[in-house]
Amino acid sequence: MFDLHRLRLLRELKHRGTLAAVAAGLSYAPSSVSQQLSQLEAEVGVPLLEPVGRRVRLTEQAEILVAHTEAILERLERAEADIAASLSDLTGTLRIASFQTAALALVPAALGLLRERHPRLRVHVTQQEPERALPALQARDFDLVLAEEYPGSPSPRPAELEQEDLLDDALQLALPEPAEQPYTRGPLAVLRSLADRPWVMEPEGTAARHWATNLCRTAGFEPDVRFETTDLLLHLRLVEQKHAAAFLPDLVWDGRPPSVALRRLPRDRRTRRIFTVVRRGGSRHPAILACRDALRRAVALRAPLP
């Protein structure tokens, strides 16, 4: 029988990428991780790691072991969910990762609803963008992630993760100043009128940036991005102060009247999908079910945009 703890370290290496990242994530010394993996190689009887420059990668045999380890951990997570479901009181800690606008507009209300029904459940929330939060979910740093998907930029769907739609969030063009004759021109024409203006967008490599850049290119121009940040409240402030144009989701208003001029986007580009993601083995855990229910109720309680 192979040692499950060592198998988990091998799995962590696959998801975290480096021995140093595994050590940091699990609060181990790098030498201890390396030693444990060497002992696993001795147990298995074949090489599990091969050097690639200054890093290592998993061999074919290691990938086979990781696939079986994923199945074992999923079954153990289901067992944990079954035990929790057999208890009358929901306790323990639920770790959530959420991107900024959902953290502002949905998470506080959901936390209140959870506290009313499950006062002994401890909820830990981290603001983190999906690009980082989803790999961390696979590495078991979180139990549930609030994520987003932009039009034309479908997110990866690893087999070991399960998604559940939460809401569709409208995206609008935020103008640094009201456009002339705003209702007589189509969405692309209004967008094109901002071709020479500075823009604020999310950083390169994010799904939001990819979507926003492609939308500007569809309108026939390359945006002059002078400000880059994942903080959409800063996006809003820069538009309010007439420093930049931006694309803002309805969630940023959290029921308040918009403070800048907004214009609709082309029909197939005007909505982002917001959803929750959990590991497949934990999807029936009572804490996960309770959290998803609270988030759905928080969505239902939202005031419509004025």
Side-chain angles (χ1 to χ4, degrees), residues 85-149:
S86 72
L87 302 174
S88 58
D89 198 7
L90 188 53
T91 60
T93 299
L94 179 67
R95 302 163 300 167
I96 299 172
S98 175
F99 59 96
Q100 185 195 40
T101 46
L104 289 169
L106 301 177
V107 171
L111 289 175
L113 294 167
L114 278 172
R115 184 175 56 198
E116 289 176 5
R117 294 191 176 182
H118 308 287
R120 296 186 62 195
L121 178 65
R122 182 177 185 270
V123 184
H124 186 275
V125 180
T126 300
Q127 182 183 315
Q128 193 166 107
E129 296 304 307
E131 289 82 4
R132 294 183 58 197
L134 290 173
L137 174 67
Q138 290 180 278
R140 285 178 159 73
D141 290 341
F142 301 115
D143 302 306
L144 180 144
V145 169
L146 276 158
E148 59 185 346
E149 182 178 279

Side-chain angles (χ1 to χ4, degrees), residues 5-293:
H5 172 67
R6 292 168 187 155
L7 289 172
R8 292 186 72 166
L9 289 177
L10 185 65
R11 175 195 177 277
E12 293 290 328
L13 179 59
K14 175 179 174 62
H15 287 295
R16 297 183 189 269
T18 67
L19 293 170
V22 173
L26 302 180
S27 300
Y28 290 161
S31 59
S32 175
V33 174
S34 181
Q35 182 183 32
Q36 292 290 318
L37 291 176
S38 295
Q39 291 176 351
L40 180 61
E41 280 190 331
E43 290 177 358
V44 178
V46 296
L48 299 177
L49 305 176
E50 53 189 12
V52 180
R54 296 184 178 181
R55 305 179 66 172
V56 294
R57 68 183 174 195
L58 276 61
T59 64
E60 179 183 354
Q61 292 72 34
E63 294 283 359
I64 293 171
L65 273 179
V66 167
H68 284 286
T69 302
E70 296 280 12
I72 293 168
L73 294 177
E74 180 183 330
R75 192 59 183 262
L76 289 174
E77 206 159 11
R78 288 181 180 177
E80 182 182 352
D82 288 344
I83 291 172
S86 72
L87 302 174
S88 58
D89 198 7
L90 188 53
T91 60
T93 299
L94 179 67
R95 302 163 300 167
I96 299 172
S98 175
F99 59 96
Q100 185 195 40
T101 46
L104 289 169
L106 301 177
V107 171
L111 289 175
L113 294 167
L114 278 172
R115 184 175 56 198
E116 289 176 5
R117 294 191 176 182
H118 308 287
R120 296 186 62 195
L121 178 65
R122 182 177 185 270
V123 184
H124 186 275
V125 180
T126 300
Q127 182 183 315
Q128 193 166 107
E129 296 304 307
E131 289 82 4
R132 294 183 58 197
L134 290 173
L137 174 67
Q138 290 180 278
R140 285 178 159 73
D141 290 341
F142 301 115
D143 302 306
L144 180 144
V145 169
L146 276 158
E148 59 185 346
E149 182 178 279
Y150 281 79
S153 302
S155 58
R157 300 195 178 195
E160 63 270 25
L161 299 182
E162 177 191 276
Q163 299 183 9
E164 182 178 282
D165 286 345
L166 186 59
L167 77 154
D168 290 331
D169 188 28
L171 298 157
Q172 301 197 63
L173 174 62
L175 308 177
E177 54 193 31
E180 295 180 4
Q181 300 177 334
Y183 300 108
T184 62
R185 294 184 292 175
L188 284 180
V190 175
L191 179 57
R192 197 176 298 117
S193 71
L194 299 171
D196 296 329
R197 298 299 297 266
W199 285 80
V200 54
M201 291 185 181
E202 297 201 36
E204 289 281 2
T206 61
R209 177 63 171 270
H210 176 75
W211 164 81
T213 302
N214 284 345
L215 181 53
C216 291
R217 289 171 179 168
T218 299
F221 69 94
E222 192 71 23
D224 177 13
V225 181
R226 299 191 195 177
F227 311 98
E228 294 183 272
T229 175
T230 58
D231 185 347
L232 293 192
L233 296 182
L234 179 53
H235 287 219
L236 173 58
R237 182 56 58 86
L238 289 169
V239 178
E240 289 174 336
Q241 298 295 321
K242 299 180 172 52
H243 295 301
F247 298 110
L248 293 177
D250 279 358
L251 275 187
V252 80
W253 307 112
D254 194 19
R256 300 184 304 273
S259 58
V260 297
L262 301 175
R263 295 294 175 267
R264 283 195 168 190
L265 298 174
R267 187 173 300 277
D268 59 343
R269 305 292 184 92
R270 63 177 61 163
T271 304
R272 65 172 176 172
R273 183 172 72 96
I274 296 177
F275 52 99
T276 58
V277 192
V278 300
R279 290 182 300 278
R280 191 171 54 191
S283 62
R284 304 307 299 173
H285 193 288
I288 296 293
L289 295 175
C291 183
R292 281 179 156 172
D293 177 65

